[in-house]
Amino acid sequence: MTRHTDTWVFNIDSEVWDDCLGHKTGDEGVDDVTPRFGFTDTDDVSPNDFRVGDTVLARIVSDDSGIGAVFEVREIVPADTTPHSVPGYDFEWIVFCDTVQDEFNSIYRENWELFAEVSNADLEAVKTLATRNVVNLFSEYKQTYIDGLLEHDSVTEAVRTRLEDSRESGDKDDPSIWTEKTEIEGRNYKQDGIDPDHPLAAHIQETDARIYKLTAPPDNWLTTYEYAAFAFGESDHGLWEDLSPGDVVLFHSRNEPAWEALDEQASCILGAGIIGALTTKPQGESWWYDERPNSPKDQSFPYLVTFDRLYATGDIEDIEFSRSILGKDTTEANADLTALTANGMPFETADTICNEAAETGFPRHRIREPLDTTADSEPGRTLVNAITAHLKEVPQVAIHKSFTGDLDKESLLGGLYFPDELGDTIIEQIQAALQAGDHIILTGPPGTGKTEIVDRVVQSLADQYPYLYSGAELTTATADWSTFDTVGGYMPTETSGDDADTNLAFTPGIILNRLKDTQTGVQSNEPVIIDELNRADIDKAFGQLFTLLSGQSVQLPFTRNNREIELLTTDHLDGLPAEHQYVVPDSWRIFATMNTYDKTSLYEMSYAFMRRFAFIRVPAPEFTPGDDEAARSELTSEMNAYINAWEGIDPSDEERDAIGQVWKHTNHAVDDRSIGPAIVRDMLAYVINRRTTAADDLSERVTEAVISYILPQLEGVPERKQIITHIAAVDATDTNTLRTAARDMLQVTIDTETES
């Protein structure tokens, strides 16, 4: 098969034609003329879209517009790396070409009438294509364009062969067409191509999602992209409640801003989203302009719609989202509105599309309206098809916002018991650390619920604050961890191709994968739980992350597309994150747990690492010493309190008292060598399920539980012999069995007669 190449149409103003096509790149006196063309990162094309060998049809934009030359792409380079950029223009990328044919007997004219017929478009609208900056066209247009050019008698055989091969190559015979002009003059939505592979269109196709439009003032949409959420007021609670995760919404902007001092904007559709979750924002916070303190409208918009995927048509990268509109002056806010509404689908276009699809206009007034009311009337799908080519994906989380909410202690502590309201205190400490911007380490003996608590906290954050957090991840540290595991490194690619230099690519590690979606490449924000942190060699495992955890950006010794990988704080982010940039949202956190049985690891932590975390202690309960009636009664009450909190645990009094005594003797054996209630719960569950009808030897079951759940916790503990000796003193244990297990598993010998 012929190698697949794309054919590009470059629109070049007649005034700069000679400068672009007649540039000399050779040494002085050497006639080396290299055509060059420039474009910016804001165009709907990236350098990766071009390939060496692609065909370029250079089109003169003048009264006699038409193809003036044919080129082949030679090289694509950043503008700041070459002395041969196009002077007078602020381009980011330059395409250098080789000439295939640079003279025609007469300029080829496009057959606009035929194209209008093929694309089912208005003829006058088609003629304006030459004034557009970035237009994605129907593939049929390429056929029409090339067919007309091939009929021209001045086309050389080399050009004819190239165009015929290009037209027939590729798996789907659907190559791209890109028109590039030196000044942005808007985009044409009526004639742009349908992109069935766009995630938004694919989502509708795969899920049969409902499609709605949401209407708001233009400055409200600024806040929507700032917080990655759309809000409904109290009076519109029913409209909010009727939406569902997976629904698709188009963002319609009115002319008039809510802030009366701002300039009016053209009414347009300026974005879209796939609904992720419905939630509410923290009470007392003012996000929208009409919510500002002492606002004459005294409005509140507490009901939030958040997004799984979020898109915009405007120049989002030019808007500063680190500051709310409430803190900006009118000049700044107006500039933001201009950037946001740039390239939006005009209301008139949307209205025409709706009338053609359903004989009813675009619903412009109510805050929320369905756009796919009947099976044979689908203006919503038609609008989505018309706008997808102009949508750029933006973060669906508010990366510039810190956590300011509250943790729900009741739900987080459900099924857990902590004496003396210790659980409430732990949650309050975690909340304070989150609000202070700290990462968190929970320390304590094994089985105190450290991992359970932080897992519930991060899941709650993702559920209750989906505009901040896109998920969560739990991992367990190991002694083998290095920065390759946490940060990332070079790994072989699945297909290296013919170029030996491309068989390695940077692969992000555990931490970086929490900051960017591995499938879409879009910014994400997933708090990470590192269980058993003390197992890792901290310095070896965290490396460059030390700098990041201190709130500073850092460059990694790896590259992607010849750009150094960067870990950035939001303070150092300019616009949207690039492919080589990983941005740490202001609310992102590391949660870790540490087993204080291994004190050595705790002491080996450097101060540089420890000072980046808030340490929160989760202790084991303390029991009254002694074996008198009062002490036994207190232990029984404490055990009952835990058992009542544990669903599915219903021991007999004898089983409860036996395990309670084991717990007490274990925790009193050596200072700071306690076990927590989670281990006790497992022991109770074991002795309950180990009951038999033939015999019910409590001592045997309790001893087996000790061997199964306590002895593994004592591996490497210097005082393990003393602890086991104390456990053996409990009446409900089998000393001989315990002695044998201690010798085999922990290499210690106990003598209850001399050491009890």
Side-chain angles (χ1 to χ4, degrees):
M1 181 189 294
T2 304
R3 174 196 173 277
H4 173 62
T5 58
D6 282 343
T7 298
W8 307 87
V9 178
F10 286 9
N11 283 340
I12 311 298
D13 281 338
S14 57
E15 307 91 75
V16 297
W17 179 269
D18 290 338
D19 187 47
C20 288
L21 274 63
H23 178 65
K24 293 184 178 181
T25 58
D27 297 332
E28 187 172 353
V30 178
D31 190 19
D32 182 9
V33 177
T34 301
R36 57 185 176 165
F37 308 93
F39 60 97
T40 69
D41 289 338
T42 59
D43 294 329
D44 276 3
V45 68
S46 77
N48 295 328
D49 293 332
F50 293 101
R51 283 173 289 185
V52 174
D54 284 353
T55 300
V56 172
L57 307 179
R59 181 178 177 280
I60 304 175
V61 179
S62 65
D63 291 339
D64 294 322
S65 66
I67 299 299
V70 179
F71 303 104
E72 177 181 297
V73 173
R74 174 201 295 179
E75 186 181 15
I76 308 98
V77 299
D80 58 5
T81 65
T82 174
H84 303 293
S85 183
V86 184
Y89 297 95
D90 189 20
F91 291 124
E92 275 93 7
W93 298 91
I94 303 297
V95 178
F96 291 104
C97 297
D98 291 323
T99 301
V100 178
Q101 180 175 351
D102 61 358
E103 290 185 7
F104 290 87
N105 293 338
S106 60
I107 297 175
Y108 162 66
R109 308 298 197 280
E110 294 88 345
N111 188 338
W112 297 123
E113 291 81 2
L114 180 57
F115 170 55
E117 180 181 348
V118 169
S119 60
N120 192 27
D122 178 74
L123 177 60
E124 293 305 314
V126 168
K127 291 181 178 179
T128 67
L129 288 172
T131 69
R132 304 300 177 182
N133 177 42
V134 179
V135 182
N136 296 317
L137 304 173
F138 286 107
S139 59
E140 288 84 354
Y141 177 49
K142 179 182 177 181
Q143 311 307 314
T144 304
Y145 206 113
I146 290 178
D147 286 346
L149 183 59
L150 291 176
E151 293 175 1
H152 203 280
D153 57 10
S154 65
V155 174
T156 66
E157 189 62 31
V159 171
R160 186 179 305 278
T161 300
R162 168 179 291 275
L163 294 178
E164 289 175 346
D165 288 346
S166 173
R167 182 174 59 182
E168 296 173 359
S169 65
D171 294 336
K172 297 182 179 179
D173 196 21
D174 188 19
S176 304
I177 293 182
W178 173 59
T179 66
E180 192 272 333
K181 195 169 182 293
T182 54
E183 293 183 2
I184 295 175
E185 298 184 14
R187 301 176 184 176
N188 190 310
Y189 282 88
K190 278 286 286 182
Q191 285 72 48
D192 288 350
I194 297 175
D195 182 4
D197 296 327
H198 190 281
L200 201 61
H203 173 76
I204 294 172
Q205 183 78 14
E206 294 168 2
T207 65
D208 198 28
R210 294 185 301 175
I211 305 174
Y212 294 88
K213 70 90 190 188
L214 300 177
T215 296
D219 44 344
N220 279 28
W221 289 116
L222 274 180
T223 306
T224 289
Y225 285 103
E226 177 188 347
Y227 283 94
F230 182 83
F232 287 81
E234 295 284 359
S235 60
D236 294 313
H237 176 267
L239 297 177
W240 167 79
E241 199 173 33
D242 190 46
L243 295 171
S244 301
D247 289 346
V248 170
V249 288
L250 298 178
F251 301 161
H252 169 234
S253 175
R254 296 192 181 104
N255 298 92
E256 305 84 7
W259 186 354
E260 295 86 350
L262 298 183
D263 297 338
E264 287 194 2
Q265 303 293 318
S267 178
C268 63
I269 297 177
L270 50 73
I274 300 174
I275 294 178
L278 306 182
T279 186
T280 56
K281 69 181 178 66
Q283 292 184 353
E285 292 193 11
S286 299
W287 293 5
W288 274 262
Y289 182 76
D290 285 338
E291 289 183 320
R292 69 194 189 281
N294 303 317
S295 168
K297 295 183 180 180
D298 191 26
Q299 290 182 302
S300 175
F301 300 88
Y303 303 110
L304 299 181
V305 173
T306 63
F307 304 98
D308 279 341
R309 304 191 78 163
L310 184 60
Y311 303 91
T313 62
D315 300 327
I316 291 288
E317 61 277 1
D318 295 334
I319 301 174
E320 182 187 357
F321 287 116
S322 60
R323 291 191 298 129
S324 168
I325 191 173
L326 303 179
K328 297 178 180 179
D329 59 30
T330 55
T331 300
E332 294 172 311
N334 277 325
D336 286 348
L337 290 184
T338 299
L340 182 67
T341 58
N343 307 311
M345 176 188 285
F347 168 80
E348 293 76 15
T349 300
D351 196 50
T352 299
I353 289 175
C354 288
N355 273 304
E356 291 176 352
E359 298 183 354
T360 182
F362 182 82
R364 67 187 307 171
H365 297 295
R366 295 192 68 193
I367 184 174
R368 192 223 70 190
E369 285 288 341
L371 292 174
D372 49 357
T373 53
T374 63
D376 58 351
S377 173
E378 298 184 336
R381 283 163 173 74
T382 308
L383 286 169
V384 169
N385 289 336
I387 201 172
T388 50
H390 308 285
L391 295 174
K392 66 183 72 173
E393 190 158 10
V394 299
Q396 78 276 24
V397 288
I399 62 177
H400 294 280
K401 302 304 176 185
S402 300
F403 175 78
T404 58
D406 296 320
L407 298 179
D408 185 354
K409 289 181 284 189
E410 183 176 353
S411 63
L412 291 174
L413 296 174
L416 301 176
Y417 170 74
F418 290 91
D420 302 323
E421 298 184 348
L422 176 62
D424 288 1
T425 300
I426 293 171
I427 300 301
E428 290 168 1
Q429 288 177 292
I430 293 175
Q431 178 174 308
L434 286 172
Q435 294 173 342
D438 295 327
H439 301 284
I440 296 168
I441 293 180
L442 267 59
T443 68
T448 52
K450 302 181 295 298
T451 305
E452 179 70 19
I453 290 172
V454 294
D455 185 53
R456 292 187 181 196
V457 167
V458 296
Q459 294 299 333
S460 175
L461 291 175
D463 292 342
Q464 300 300 317
Y465 303 94
Y467 54 90
L468 291 179
Y469 304 101
S470 52
E473 182 71 13
L474 170 64
T475 187
T476 301
T478 71
D480 297 328
W481 263 17
S482 68
T483 53
F484 186 88
D485 300 281
T486 58
V487 177
Y490 289 126
M491 289 187 66
T493 58
E494 293 183 2
T495 55
S496 59
D498 298 330
D499 189 350
D501 294 333
T502 63
N503 61 355
L504 290 178
F506 175 76
T507 301
I510 294 168
I511 300 299
L512 268 62
N513 273 329
R514 310 284 72 77
L515 306 176
K516 184 175 288 191
D517 189 288
T518 57
Q519 299 298 318
T520 66
V522 178
Q523 174 75 46
S524 59
N525 182 14
E526 298 180 354
V528 61
I529 302 171
I530 304 177
D531 200 23
E532 304 285 357
L533 179 64
N534 44 291
R535 294 186 179 185
D537 182 328
I538 301 299
D539 291 339
K540 183 178 75 171
F542 279 77
Q544 301 95 338
L545 292 177
F546 277 71
T547 302
L548 190 70
L549 294 177
S550 66
Q552 301 296 318
S553 298
V554 62
Q555 286 187 325
L556 300 180
F558 308 106
T559 61
R560 177 175 287 161
N561 293 332
N562 298 319
R563 304 290 296 274
E564 286 186 318
I565 302 293
E566 296 178 333
L567 303 184
L568 300 179
T569 64
T570 55
D571 292 339
H572 295 91
L573 175 64
D574 184 17
L576 297 174
E579 187 181 14
H580 68 286
Q581 294 175 324
Y582 290 81
V583 179
V584 181
D586 289 350
S587 60
W588 183 76
R589 297 291 182 271
I590 293 177
F591 293 82
T593 67
M594 179 171 291
N595 183 353
T596 50
Y597 256 38
D598 189 355
K599 288 267 188 176
T600 305
S601 294
L602 180 59
Y603 291 138
E604 284 182 350
M605 275 189 181
S606 65
Y607 174 72
F609 184 82
M610 293 177 66
R611 68 184 179 86
R612 289 160 170 78
F613 286 82
F615 284 75
I616 298 174
R617 182 169 174 263
V618 185
E622 297 180 358
F623 300 109
T624 302
D627 196 33
D628 55 25
E629 185 177 346
R632 285 180 175 271
S633 176
E634 182 179 326
L635 178 61
T636 298
S637 297
E638 195 75 357
M639 288 294 294
N640 285 336
Y642 281 103
I643 291 168
N644 290 337
W646 293 333
E647 185 177 349
I649 300 296
D650 186 21
S652 66
D653 291 348
E654 292 78 9
E655 292 167 338
R656 175 201 63 202
D657 293 341
I659 296 299
Q661 287 296 326
V662 169
W663 190 9
K664 180 175 178 177
H665 278 67
T666 302
N667 288 6
H668 281 179
V670 178
D671 290 342
D672 298 323
R673 292 299 189 199
S674 302
I675 61 172
I679 295 175
V680 175
R681 184 192 185 282
D682 291 341
M683 294 173 68
L684 280 172
Y686 180 88
V687 299
I688 293 171
N689 289 285
R690 185 67 172 83
R691 298 169 184 164
T692 63
T693 56
D696 190 10
D697 189 333
L698 178 61
S699 176
E700 180 181 347
R701 291 184 283 130
V702 170
T703 304
E704 290 173 353
V706 170
I707 294 171
S708 297
Y709 298 101
I710 295 183
L711 263 59
Q713 303 295 332
L714 303 180
E715 181 70 41
V717 176
E719 304 91 342
R720 57 189 181 277
K721 179 177 180 179
Q722 185 176 346
I723 296 173
I724 299 171
T725 300
H726 273 255
I727 296 174
V730 176
D731 293 338
T733 61
D734 185 317
T735 304
N736 291 329
T737 304
L738 197 57
R739 180 187 295 112
T740 302
R743 183 179 62 247
D744 294 345
M745 296 174 63
L746 302 174
Q747 294 75 53
V748 297
T749 302
I750 62 171
D751 187 345
T752 56
E753 294 182 2
T754 60
E755 300 188 34
S756 61

